[in-house]
Amino acid sequence: MRALLIGLALLAVGVSAWMLWPRSPRQAPVSAPKLPEGAMTETERRAYVEAFVRAAEVRIVPDTKPDSDEPVPGLKRVVGKVLNEGERWVDKVVLKLDVKDGAGEVLGSEFHDVVEIGRLEPGQGLEFAFQIRDRSKFEGDFEYRLQ
């Protein structure tokens, strides 16, 4: 009889401990964040840029000191224009630039958002400029692609 009482007491302690054991709270299901009106997902944006955004007059030129024609050592400047030929606005257009040597080998790649602030409206064109580091074997050859 005594063994039965001890067994029941241990069972009661075990059940109490189990009931009082801390549990992690249940989390509500996570839903996708709401996008602003007319905004695209990253996949939609990349497809839209590929189909409707064009770059023109992309050049790599020496970067110069302000109010001077004196080049800044170690830096180049990428300049050009982008045009949104579609019917939606886009707030990010990444220009991927592959800088090459004289033999056509890629020396490095640069990625830059040419819209930066705001958005590119349908039919709108935008001039851009950004700095890249100069590479010793760079002889002026490059390729670019918008993403």
Side-chain angles (χ1 to χ4, degrees), residues 50-146:
E50 186 176 316
F52 298 107
V53 180
R54 305 287 173 252
E57 300 175 31
V58 178
R59 303 182 323 273
I60 299 177
V61 299
D63 193 23
T64 57
K65 295 180 179 179
D67 302 322
S68 170
D69 290 335
E70 185 180 348
V72 177
L75 293 177
K76 294 285 189 186
R77 183 163 289 275
V78 179
V79 296
K81 299 176 183 178
V82 289
L83 174 64
N84 182 354
E85 297 175 340
E87 296 181 359
R88 297 179 70 182
W89 59 266
V90 63
D91 60 357
K92 180 179 175 186
V93 176
V94 176
L95 184 130
K96 178 188 185 252
L97 180 77
D98 291 327
V99 179
K100 299 181 174 188
D101 66 10
E105 295 296 319
V106 175
L107 297 170
S109 297
E110 303 276 347
F111 296 84
H112 193 83
D113 180 2
V114 296
V115 174
E116 291 186 307
I117 299 173
R119 56 193 204 186
L120 189 61
E121 298 291 340
Q124 181 183 15
L126 175 69
E127 292 184 3
F128 64 84
F130 60 91
Q131 291 178 324
I132 61 171
R133 66 183 179 88
D134 194 5
R135 291 172 170 84
S136 62
K137 296 181 181 179
F138 176 63
E139 296 181 14
D141 192 20
F142 66 93
E143 290 181 357
Y144 66 88
R145 183 178 74 184
L146 298 178

